[in-house]
Amino acid sequence: MPQQPAEAAALPRHEVIIIGSGFAGLCMGARLKQAGIHDFLILEKDKEIGGTWRVNQYPGCACDVPSHLYSFSFLQNPEWTRKYAPQRELLAYTVKAAQDLGLMPHLRLDTALLSAEYDEAAGAWRLHTSRGEMIAKHLVAGMGALGRPKLPTLPGLESFQGKTFHSQQWDHGYDLQGKRVAVIGTGASAIQFVPEIAPKLAQLDLYQRTPPWILPRPDRAISDAERWLLRHFSISRWAYRALNYVRNEWRYIAFGKQPALMRAMQKLALAYMHKHIPDPELRRKLTPDYTMGCKRILLVNDYYQTLTRSNVAVLSNGIREVRAHSVIDGDGQERAVDAIIFATGFDLEQALGPLELKGRSGLCLQQASRDGLDAYKGTTLPGFPNFYMIAGPNTGLGHNSMIYMIESGVNYILQAIQMTRLQRIKSLEVKADAAGEYNRQIQQKLKGTVWNSGCKSWYLNSRGKNLTLWPGFTFEYRRIMKKFDADQYHARFD
Ligand code: NAP
């Protein structure tokens, strides 16, 4: 580690500090260890590990990507009980992964990163955390983009006297039995918990702004015999993983290259809706008017059936006002409610939250990202040496497993860190030209995709720019991340 002023020299220092203990942070830690790099910490702001699968604990929470694929390639799990594992199994997997991969001694729970600034002379990051300061040569952000709940601004909401919570902050202590509940939002989270809670409620008012495209989820239990096979024959695990990968991956042809192909899928989705929703007026409300895939396609088996229950109303004319014990819907009808559950998604533009990151020459992350985070390969930023993001901008997916993208990114970051060790490099910083040209190409590629076909979605920022999704096959991302391209970086030496 480079020389530091006396005051900084007294601070705890590490070669790498990783932020977040979800799949991304754990993957980075695991790969560092495999590479023989042991001087690292994983900071977790909460009291337990697990990232998104610990935080999201709403009823019915499950992954809509098959679990045999949505797991580390280097820690395959033959014990999944279902094709699409429920949240508690995914959380148990991440905790076990941290233990089995020897990451527990590296974890610092209840330690939030508040701010960090790059010290150019020292070639290191100075971190201010809720448990004091520390120094790291490399800083790796693995906190994901879907961490900060987004709440709607509704007239009168502050006057509401009942219970309110966001799907990501589910209050399990609040007994929903017999309650009248308004649910706002019909995205990936809502469609999972609405079928779970509806049978308990006296009344469920579902406020839908935009109907989602819905297809059945081909879920099933994994039999004991299949688990035995997967446990004893690694080839069967790899084959099943590969099968799931290919089944998902081909869909990029429709998402990215030929959105017109989505019409065939739309017919299937409409037939599925027709089968479960006999009422033509309800079908009209539930029929999307945008190309399938422009927003995330939702996979669920019991949502439409739930909407036909006598205690469920689908309200698609908005919310006029919230009062102390009621909601006035868009038609002016007052509907008494005991609770409001927000299933209104996440604030991507605030994904890095209140984190103050100051790069070279005091460059502030908020300033550098005024038009959005234009990262190079979703990973590095000009002006921020030795700083890396896992699953950063334009690496999200609408069609396959994010774990594949995380592993691709981690492989690239690991090579950068190894290179600084081998060549005694003080800092690596991506060239501004490289990042600019890379992002120009990404935005160009996005033009023909279904995601940029005109609907409003959280994939686009407030200026309509898509800084969320990877416009390509996932193996194309793996290919560009395979080898660290040092020629696109400024290397500074001691
Ligand atoms: P979301 O997909 O962003 O859905 C938010 C919902 O709230 C949308 O229906 C949106 O309507 C509505 N909404 C937002 N603001 C509103 C307002 N002011 N008034 C009325 N309605 C409003 O959020 P999410 O369901 O939490 O899911 C977020 C992401 O998390 C997903 O897309 C997915 O990537 C991930 N997720 C994954 C899984 C999984 O199984 N892998 C499960 C859950 C979540 P509009 O469509 O009109 O904006």
Side-chain angles (χ1 to χ4, degrees):
M1 289 285 290
Q3 286 301 307
Q4 302 260 311
E7 167 251 352
L11 297 175
R13 58 190 50 235
H14 297 277
E15 187 167 357
V16 186
I17 291 188
I18 303 161
I19 315 300
S21 69
F23 269 97
L26 297 181
C27 184
M28 188 74 240
R31 298 283 280 118
L32 284 170
K33 265 190 116 70
Q34 282 167 4
I37 301 173
H38 299 282
D39 181 15
F40 69 90
L41 288 185
I42 303 175
L43 308 188
E44 169 56 59
K45 67 175 167 33
D46 294 324
K47 292 191 171 70
E48 290 164 77
I49 65 169
T52 199
W53 297 107
R54 186 187 50 72
V55 186
N56 285 283
Q57 300 209 352
Y58 56 77
C61 183
C63 187
D64 60 8
V65 177
S67 321
H68 292 90
L69 180 61
Y70 192 91
S71 43
F72 294 132
S73 62
F74 52 86
L75 194 69
Q76 294 177 15
N77 175 21
E79 309 301 338
W80 298 115
T81 60
R82 301 199 67 79
K83 184 171 173 189
Y84 296 88
Q87 169 267 337
R88 62 173 188 286
E89 265 186 55
L90 286 154
L91 177 59
Y93 171 82
T94 48
V95 172
K96 189 165 183 309
Q99 290 162 349
D100 292 357
L101 295 165
L103 298 173
M104 298 310 274
H106 299 269
L107 277 154
R108 295 291 177 275
L109 302 176
D110 202 11
T111 307
L113 176 62
L114 306 172
S115 65
E117 69 246 358
Y118 186 68
D119 179 340
E120 210 170 339
W125 286 90
R126 186 170 178 150
L127 280 66
H128 306 268
T129 80
S130 53
R131 289 184 177 264
E133 293 189 19
M134 44 186 91
I135 306 279
K137 175 160 179 174
H138 302 279
L139 180 60
V140 181
M143 56 267 228
L146 301 175
R148 297 184 70 77
K150 193 161 129 191
L151 296 174
T153 44
L154 299 171
L157 183 57
E158 65 293 344
S159 66
F160 186 63
Q161 302 285 302
K163 182 81 187 167
T164 59
F165 54 86
H166 185 274
S167 59
Q168 193 226 42
Q169 295 158 343
W170 198 273
D171 186 345
H172 288 278
Y174 181 72
D175 185 6
L176 287 165
Q177 193 67 45
K179 297 285 185 340
R180 297 159 303 177
V181 173
V183 172
I184 303 178
T186 52
S189 301
I191 57 106
Q192 291 187 336
F193 74 73
V194 160
E196 296 291 320
I197 65 169
K200 291 182 187 169
L201 303 177
Q203 175 66 26
L204 193 162
D205 294 339
L206 181 59
Y207 287 90
Q208 170 192 271
R209 190 164 66 180
T210 314
W213 280 105
I214 289 181
L215 286 169
R217 184 166 60 176
D219 194 15
R220 63 177 184 83
I222 306 288
S223 69
D224 288 347
E226 285 172 303
R227 281 209 294 277
W228 183 88
L229 201 68
L230 292 164
R231 205 176 296 136
H232 291 97
F233 298 96
S234 69
I235 184 129
S236 65
R237 291 198 296 276
W238 279 108
Y240 191 47
R241 191 177 174 91
L243 178 70
N244 279 309
Y245 175 79
V246 173
R247 265 191 200 150
N248 282 349
E249 191 65 359
W250 74 267
R251 298 186 303 159
Y252 179 71
I253 298 169
F255 280 95
K257 308 234 178 240
Q258 291 294 334
L261 292 175
M262 285 293 180
R263 279 196 213 114
M265 297 292 280
Q266 287 179 198
K267 280 191 187 148
L268 281 178
L270 291 175
Y272 175 65
M273 185 201 298
H274 217 277
K275 184 172 160 199
H276 293 290
I277 309 274
D279 174 10
E281 173 54 19
L282 184 54
R283 280 205 303 271
R284 187 192 59 74
K285 277 189 194 171
L286 296 172
T287 304
D289 65 354
Y290 56 90
T291 308
M292 188 181 216
C294 188
K295 288 168 180 277
R296 191 176 176 92
I297 301 170
L298 307 184
L299 305 180
V300 59
N301 295 329
D302 44 7
Y303 179 68
Y304 282 149
Q305 294 89 320
T306 303
L307 303 189
T308 63
R309 292 177 62 95
S310 58
N311 67 338
V312 175
V314 179
L315 302 155
S316 56
N317 287 334
I319 292 174
R320 199 173 282 180
E321 186 191 340
V322 178
R323 293 188 182 159
H325 300 285
S326 63
V327 174
I328 313 291
D329 69 20
D331 297 323
Q333 199 186 336
E334 182 163 12
R335 309 179 70 90
V337 289
D338 304 301
I340 303 176
I341 304 176
F342 300 108
T344 40
F346 300 91
D347 191 345
L348 262 78
E349 290 185 62
Q350 296 299 318
L352 293 175
L355 177 63
E356 263 184 52
L357 212 60
K358 277 195 186 143
R360 198 166 41 75
S361 315
L363 178 67
C364 167
L365 185 67
Q366 274 79 5
Q367 269 173 345
S369 62
R370 244 197 308 262
D371 294 323
L373 274 179
D374 271 350
Y376 180 62
K377 299 187 173 181
T379 308
T380 48
L381 287 168
F384 294 81
N386 295 357
F387 172 66
Y388 312 89
M389 288 175 281
I390 308 171
N394 289 114
T395 63
L397 298 178
H399 73 288
N400 214 335
S401 170
M402 272 312 289
I403 310 304
Y404 185 88
M405 300 299 271
I406 287 172
E407 288 190 14
S408 305
V410 163
N411 177 54
Y412 183 86
I413 298 167
L414 177 65
Q415 289 180 61
I417 292 170
Q418 284 174 315
M419 188 177 147
T420 59
R421 290 185 131 209
L422 281 172
Q423 301 186 20
R424 299 184 150 274
I425 294 170
K426 189 173 184 176
S427 70
L428 280 173
E429 178 186 340
V430 69
K431 294 176 182 168
D433 292 357
E437 176 55 19
Y438 174 82
N439 282 292
R440 196 192 56 71
Q441 286 177 19
I442 288 284
Q443 291 304 319
Q444 188 60 30
K445 268 189 99 175
L446 276 162
K447 277 187 183 149
T449 66
V450 72
W451 305 302
N452 285 34
S453 65
C455 75
K456 271 195 181 167
S457 77
W458 64 262
Y459 298 151
L460 311 179
N461 70 10
S462 50
R463 286 169 298 282
K465 191 170 174 186
N466 189 335
L467 287 168
T468 311
L469 292 170
W470 166 247
F473 289 103
T474 58
F475 56 78
E476 292 178 297
Y477 186 65
R478 178 142 299 185
R479 199 171 59 219
I480 66 162
M481 301 305 270
K482 197 165 181 208
K483 197 166 174 315
F484 182 70
D485 42 358
D487 55 329
Q488 303 298 324
Y489 287 77
H490 296 294
R492 293 187 180 86
F493 295 82
D494 274 323

